[in-house]
Amino acid sequence: MSIDSTAIIIKWVARGLPLSAVLTADTGVEREETYAFQPIFQRWMDRHHIVH
C-alpha cells in the first residue's frame, strides 16, 4: 500500500476502468503511517466495490 500503488488504483478508478481486486502483502516492516492508512483505504475500496 505504497503511495505509488495507491495513486495508481485511485487514478484507475477515476478513469472508470474496471478493477476487480487489489492484493496486498504485509512485509512486517511497513511504516507506522502505512498501517494507520490501511483501514482508510480499505473503506475507500469498499465504497468503490473493490475486493481487497
Side-chain angles (χ1 to χ4, degrees):
M1 294 188 56
S2 70
I3 292 170
D4 293 337
S5 57
T6 300
I8 289 169
I9 292 166
I10 292 170
K11 192 171 188 175
W12 190 275
V13 171
R15 290 183 175 184
L17 301 171
L19 183 62
S20 56
V22 171
L23 302 177
T24 61
D26 184 355
T27 62
V29 293
E30 300 295 340
R31 301 181 85 181
E32 191 174 311
E33 296 86 353
T34 301
Y35 290 115
F37 178 68
Q38 187 173 12
I40 296 166
F41 193 54
Q42 287 174 336
R43 286 191 300 272
W44 183 89
M45 288 189 287
D46 289 341
R47 286 193 307 270
H48 290 86
H49 311 288
I50 300 169
V51 177
H52 54 89

